[in-house]
Amino acid sequence: MSGTAGVACKFHPDATLIEDYRAGDQICSECGLVVGDRVIDVGSEWRTFSSESGGEDKSRVGGAENTLLGSSDLSTIIGPGTGGASFSADGKAMYNNRPTVSSSDRTLMNAFRTISNMSDRINLPRTIIDRANNLFKMVSDGKNLKGRANDAIAAACLYIACRQEGVPRTFKEIVAVSTISKKEIGRCFKLILKAHDTSVDLITTGDFMSRFCGTLSLARDVQKAATCIAKKAVDLDIVPGRSPISVAAAAIYMASQASDDKRTQREIADIAGVADVTIRQSYKLLLTRATELFPQDFKFTTPIENLPQN
C-alpha cells in the first residue's frame, strides 16, 4: 500500500491508496473509490509454470542492453510457418529468418566474447573487461587497423586495459589465453597507441612483484626484500636496458636464496614467463652490488658471500 503524488480520493484526501497491480487500479482505503487506473506494474516481468524453480523463474524477456552495439541488442527472429499462408504457390516458405544483426555489430559481439573469455581465464575483473570493450569499439569505429585479425586486436585491447587499470599483465600471459602470436599482438598494440593517441603508464618492477611472490607462496619478508632489491637496482642504474619483468624475477631469486624460503630459477621463470638465462643475466648484475640492495633489517639465512654465483 502506498500513496501516489498528485492522486487522492476526493472524499478522503488523506487516506492511503491501495495499488491493485492485477487490475491496474488505485483504490481509496476508506471508501473503496477507484481514484486511478492503468497503474504500471513495476514488478518482475517473468512468469513460470515450472514446479522445480520454487515458483520463481529468473528467465528474462531479453538479454541485457549493450550500449556499445549500434542496434542496441534488439533483434527479431521470425519462426517457421505452419499454415497454408506461410508458403508460396510452388511450396517455398514465404518468411525466412534473415540476419537482423549488422556485420559490424556481429564483429563487436564476437570480439566482446573473446575478451570476456580471455579475462575469465586469467581472473580479470569486470572493470578491465569494460575498458577493453570500449577500446575495441573505438578501434573498430576508427577503421585504422583494417586487415588485422580481430582476435589480435581484442588481445591488444585487453593488454592495454590491464596497464591502464594499474594491473598490467605480461605479453606472454595474454598470449597464453589467446590464439594469437606475441608478435601480432605487439604489432596491434603499437598501432592502437599510435592511431588513437592512447597512453599507457610505463611498467615497473613493483607492478609484478606482489603477484609473482604470491604465486610462488613466498613469505612476506622475502617479498619485501625482493621489492627493495628491484627498486634500488633501478634507482642505481645497475640493470640498464633490462625489462622490469626480468629485474623483478632476478630480485625474487636473490631474496629467496638469501632466506630459508628458496626458489630455483626454473620455478621463478615459469611464473614470470621469462627464460632461465634472462634471470641469470640480470641476477649476475645484481650480485655485483648485492650489499647495497638488501634492506637493512633483512634476516639472512644465507650470507651474501655464499649466494649462488650464477
Side-chain angles (χ1 to χ4, degrees), residues 43-102:
S44 303
E45 78 281 2
W46 58 67
R47 298 181 66 195
T48 179
F49 300 97
S50 173
S51 59
E52 299 178 359
S53 60
E56 188 173 358
D57 184 5
K58 297 299 183 183
S59 300
R60 312 296 294 202
V61 297
E65 182 180 4
N66 190 340
T67 55
L68 297 178
L69 300 179
S71 61
S72 299
D73 284 355
L74 300 179
S75 59
T76 303
I77 297 178
I78 302 173
T82 55
S86 301
F87 300 91
S88 61
D90 56 357
K92 293 183 179 179
M94 295 282 287
Y95 304 101
N96 295 319
N97 269 337
R98 294 183 176 84
T100 56
V101 180
S102 65

Side-chain angles (χ1 to χ4, degrees), residues 36-209:
D37 56 5
R38 298 186 181 179
V39 177
I40 298 175
D41 186 357
V42 296
S44 303
E45 78 281 2
W46 58 67
R47 298 181 66 195
T48 179
F49 300 97
S50 173
S51 59
E52 299 178 359
S53 60
E56 188 173 358
D57 184 5
K58 297 299 183 183
S59 300
R60 312 296 294 202
V61 297
E65 182 180 4
N66 190 340
T67 55
L68 297 178
L69 300 179
S71 61
S72 299
D73 284 355
L74 300 179
S75 59
T76 303
I77 297 178
I78 302 173
T82 55
S86 301
F87 300 91
S88 61
D90 56 357
K92 293 183 179 179
M94 295 282 287
Y95 304 101
N96 295 319
N97 269 337
R98 294 183 176 84
T100 56
V101 180
S102 65
S103 60
S104 59
D105 278 359
R106 191 180 300 109
T107 299
L108 290 176
M109 291 167 66
N110 291 336
F112 295 164
R113 191 180 304 114
T114 300
I115 290 172
S116 180
N117 290 339
M118 289 191 293
S119 300
D120 288 344
R121 293 178 64 184
I122 50 179
N123 302 314
L124 294 177
R126 186 71 214 178
T127 53
I128 294 178
I129 297 175
D130 291 341
R131 183 179 282 270
N133 287 347
N134 277 285
L135 189 56
F136 187 93
K137 167 72 171 174
M138 181 179 70
V139 172
S140 177
D141 291 345
K143 302 184 185 305
N144 293 314
L145 271 72
K146 279 191 172 183
R148 299 289 176 182
N150 287 326
D151 285 354
I153 299 173
C157 289
L158 185 61
Y159 176 78
I160 294 172
C162 288
R163 287 182 59 171
Q164 290 179 337
E165 287 291 328
V167 285
R169 293 297 186 266
T170 64
F171 270 120
K172 288 191 176 181
E173 287 178 290
I174 301 297
V175 169
V177 295
S178 68
T179 57
I180 308 299
S181 68
K182 179 181 176 182
K183 181 183 292 186
E184 186 60 25
I185 296 176
R187 285 173 179 166
C188 290
F189 166 69
K190 292 178 181 178
L191 288 171
I192 292 172
L193 295 185
K194 182 179 179 181
H196 295 277
D197 196 23
T198 303
S199 62
V200 291
D201 294 333
L202 293 175
I203 57 175
T204 65
T205 56
D207 292 330
F208 305 98
M209 193 64 73

Side-chain angles (χ1 to χ4, degrees), residues 226-281:
T227 303
C228 181
I229 291 169
K231 186 176 185 306
K232 286 185 177 180
V234 174
D235 292 343
L236 297 173
D237 201 24
I238 299 174
V239 283
R242 299 288 173 178
S243 75
I245 300 170
S246 61
V247 174
I252 293 172
Y253 177 67
M254 175 177 281
S256 70
Q257 289 298 316
S259 71
D260 57 357
D261 198 8
K262 294 178 172 52
R263 295 291 186 273
T264 65
Q265 291 180 0
R266 168 47 50 191
E267 289 177 293
I268 298 172
D270 289 340
I271 297 300
V274 296
D276 296 13
V277 66
T278 304
I279 296 179
R280 196 175 303 120
Q281 290 170 349

Side-chain angles (χ1 to χ4, degrees), residues 1-21 25-36:
M1 294 192 302
S2 63
T4 304
V7 179
C9 176
K10 61 183 179 180
F11 301 112
H12 306 92
D14 298 327
T16 303
L17 299 181
I18 301 173
E19 297 181 354
D20 183 356
Y21 288 117
D25 296 335
Q26 289 178 325
I27 305 168
C28 174
S29 60
E30 295 290 336
C31 62
L33 178 69
V34 176
V35 296

Side-chain angles (χ1 to χ4, degrees), residues 220-229 232 258-259 290-301 304:
R220 182 67 183 173
D221 58 336
V222 177
Q223 179 179 335
K224 180 182 176 183
T227 303
C228 181
I229 291 169
K232 286 185 177 180
S259 71
T291 54
E292 303 174 52
L293 302 178
F294 279 91
Q296 293 181 352
D297 59 348
F298 184 74
K299 296 179 181 178
F300 288 90
T301 302
I304 291 178

